[in-house]
């Protein structure tokens, strides 16, 4: 019964953490997806062009259009974050039992493994929703009226297998991203306990730790994120469906290795630390609150 309560607590905390984090950076996230989906001739240069794009989107489509696709994001992020955080807690417990570190901080390699496994589990279970969000972000609102419309049109016009197009680079990218993010955050908290003498960091310290985790994790996995987005949006941006290797070669050939594979990275450095900081901080504080309420 105690284990069930812990799982439900981490699911609820993770869902709220993901929802708050993604809503806060939704306009910047939409801009990043547009950058990643565009070809070389249309490539804006962030960050100045990013804010210009946001401004013209606001003028042409209205303020709420900046959150276009956020409903699809919530449908994906809420279960994704809930599964990821809950899985991370379970993997930490399992690995702790296996390595004999019950109730203690895991050593570095198991800590990295727990994060990678958590991200892989969540990505595998929620991938079609990620593809739908990407499609809604790069298309005019007349093309898809809602989430279900996206599923119906993709299934009818491109086939059901398209819902998992780009899945392999997603998994390959989420392993270093989730692994390094959770590893960095847990390591910084452990170092804080060791050197400060306080069992728990303050909320603003959690935000800083989360920001560092997001910066490191997203920078390491970013090229595969670009490949994933290009593969997801190929059906509506005029690019042919291709494998990971073909997509990589096409990006490098047409746009250059650095400019193509790291397109929109400066936008990620702006939004990523904010989102991950909010996410980790919200999860930890919710866990503390729920434990207090249960006791």
């Amino acid at each position: 019964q105690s284990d069930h309560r812990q799982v439900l607590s981490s699911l609820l905390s993770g869902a709220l953490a993901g929802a708050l984090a993604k809503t806060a950076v939704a306009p910047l996230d939409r801009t990043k997806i547009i950058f990643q989906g565009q070809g070389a001739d249309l490539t804006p240069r962030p960050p100045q062009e990013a804010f210009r794009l946001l401004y013209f989107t606001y003028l042409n489509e209205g303020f709420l259009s900046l959150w276009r696709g956020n409903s699809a994001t919530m449908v994906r992020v809420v279960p994704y974050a809930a599964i990821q955080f809950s899985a991370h807690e379970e993997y930490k417990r399992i690995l702790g039992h296996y390595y004999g570190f019950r109730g203690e901080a895991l050593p570095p390699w198991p800590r990295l493994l727990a994060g990678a496994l958590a991200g892989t589990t969540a990505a595998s279970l929620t991938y079609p929703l990620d593809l739908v969000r990407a499609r809604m972000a790069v298309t005019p609102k007349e093309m898809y009226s809602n989430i279900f419309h996206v599923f119906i049109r993709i299934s009818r016009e491109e086939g059901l297998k398209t819902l998992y197009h780009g899945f392999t680079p997603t998994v390959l990218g989420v392993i270093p991203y989730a692994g390094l993010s959770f590893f960095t955050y847990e390591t910084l908290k452990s170092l804080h306990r060791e050197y400060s003498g306080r069992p728990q960091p303050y909320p603003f310290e959690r935000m800083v730790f989360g920001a560092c985790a997001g910066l490191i994790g997203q920078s390491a996995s970013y090229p595969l994120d670009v490949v994933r987005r290009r593969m997801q949006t190929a059906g509506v941006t005029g690019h042919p469906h291709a494998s990971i290797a073909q997509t990589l070669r096409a990006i490098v050939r047409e746009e250059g290795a650095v400019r193509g594979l790291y397109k929109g990275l400066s936008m990620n450095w702006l939004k990523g630390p904010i989102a991950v900081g909010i996410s980790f901080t919200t999860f930890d504080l919710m866990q503390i609150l729920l434990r207090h309420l249960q006791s």
Side-chain angles (χ1 to χ4, degrees), residues 125-234:
L125 294 175
T126 62
Y127 184 77
L129 294 170
D130 186 42
L131 183 137
V132 167
R133 176 180 73 109
R135 284 292 183 92
M136 291 188 74
V138 300
T139 55
K141 56 186 176 183
E142 296 79 17
M143 187 167 183
Y144 298 119
S145 56
N146 54 51
I147 300 168
F148 301 107
H149 189 209
V150 184
F151 277 111
I152 292 169
R153 283 196 60 175
I154 290 177
S155 301
R156 185 191 307 144
E157 298 171 10
E158 303 175 52
L160 283 173
K161 66 179 183 180
T162 303
L163 292 174
Y164 276 87
H165 200 66
F167 176 70
T168 303
T170 296
V171 172
L172 292 176
V174 84
I175 290 172
Y177 170 69
L180 287 171
S181 295
F182 279 107
F183 171 81
T184 302
Y185 186 68
E186 294 288 322
T187 299
L188 290 174
K189 286 202 301 181
S190 178
L191 290 172
H192 174 273
R193 280 194 299 271
E194 182 180 343
Y195 288 103
S196 73
R198 286 187 282 116
Q200 296 291 345
Y202 297 127
F204 79 89
E205 291 172 325
R206 294 181 193 274
M207 284 286 292
V208 172
F209 298 162
C212 292
L215 190 64
I216 292 171
Q218 292 187 341
S219 297
S221 62
Y222 195 78
L224 283 165
D225 193 40
V226 174
V227 172
R228 170 176 66 119
R229 291 301 181 201
R230 185 65 61 85
M231 292 177 73
Q232 287 177 335
T233 58

Side-chain angles (χ1 to χ4, degrees), residues 3 36 109 128 160 218 244 261 272:
D3 287 343
Q36 291 176 331
W109 280 112
L160 283 173
Q218 292 187 341
I244 298 174
L261 294 177

Side-chain angles (χ1 to χ4, degrees), residues 28 35 49 54 102 136 184 186 188 194 230 254 284:
L28 297 175
F35 281 2
E49 288 294 331
L54 285 173
R102 300 186 186 187
M136 291 188 74
T184 302
E186 294 288 322
L188 290 174
E194 182 180 343
R230 185 65 61 85
E254 297 168 11
D284 278 357

Side-chain angles (χ1 to χ4, degrees), residues 111-122:
R111 195 180 301 162
L112 185 66
L113 180 60
L117 288 172
T120 303
T121 301

